């Protein structure tokens, strides 16, 4: 039996690297915008929109703490604690595990620049 030509796909690692590099570039661009003063009007970094389901723009009877205007180091420290499991949570531990340290810093910096 004669086999036809076999086409090999690029290794998964190479495709994953391309996606990771695109994410890193996006996060870096967001950080540059935020640190140059253009951050307050900048679009939210990837992942920040997942916070709005529980952390509404204004506090209400069932809302979690408002993130806008909180100090970035405080937000990042809490997210890192949720990610590591050192802070107790019902859902935040699972959400935080999905973010890299760079993404956590970008989200924290963006929320810190927002008005409460």
């Amino acid at each position: 039996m004669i086999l036809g030509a076999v086409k090999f796909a690029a290794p998964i690692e190479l495709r994953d690297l391309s996606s990771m590099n695109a994410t890193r570039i996006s996060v870096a661009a967001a950080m540059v915008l935020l640190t140059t003063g253009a951050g307050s009007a900048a679009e939210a970094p990837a992942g920040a929109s997942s916070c709005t389901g529980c952390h509404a723009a204004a506090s209400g009877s069932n809302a979690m703490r408002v993130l806008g205007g909180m100090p970035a180091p405080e937000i990042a420290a809490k997210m890192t604690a949720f990610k590591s499991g050192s802070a107790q949570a019902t859902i935040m531990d699972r959400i935080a595990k999905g973010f890299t340290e760079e993404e956590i810093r970008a989200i924290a910096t963006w929320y810190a620049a927002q008005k409460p």
Side-chain angles (χ1 to χ4, degrees):
M1 175 195 275
I2 299 176
L3 296 175
V6 178
K7 183 176 180 181
F8 291 97
I12 292 174
E13 295 80 21
L14 292 178
R15 286 182 281 187
D16 288 346
L17 286 176
S18 176
S19 176
M20 288 183 349
N21 285 337
T23 300
R24 287 184 180 135
I25 290 169
S26 297
V27 170
M31 292 302 292
V32 168
L33 288 173
L34 292 172
T35 58
T36 60
S40 59
E43 195 171 309
S49 63
S50 65
C51 306
T52 59
C54 299
H55 297 276
S59 58
S61 60
N62 292 328
M64 302 304 289
R65 186 172 179 185
V66 175
L67 299 176
M70 279 182 60
E74 184 179 336
I75 296 171
K78 195 67 171 179
M79 292 258 311
T80 301
F82 286 132
K83 183 175 181 170
S84 71
S86 64
Q88 296 283 330
T90 55
I91 188 89
M92 272 304 302
D93 54 340
R94 290 176 270 170
I95 294 170
K97 286 179 183 174
F99 294 114
T100 66
E101 294 303 317
E102 293 84 16
E103 289 169 329
I104 288 172
R105 283 192 298 273
I107 291 168
T109 301
W110 185 80
Y111 269 109
Q114 305 307 304
K115 292 184 181 188

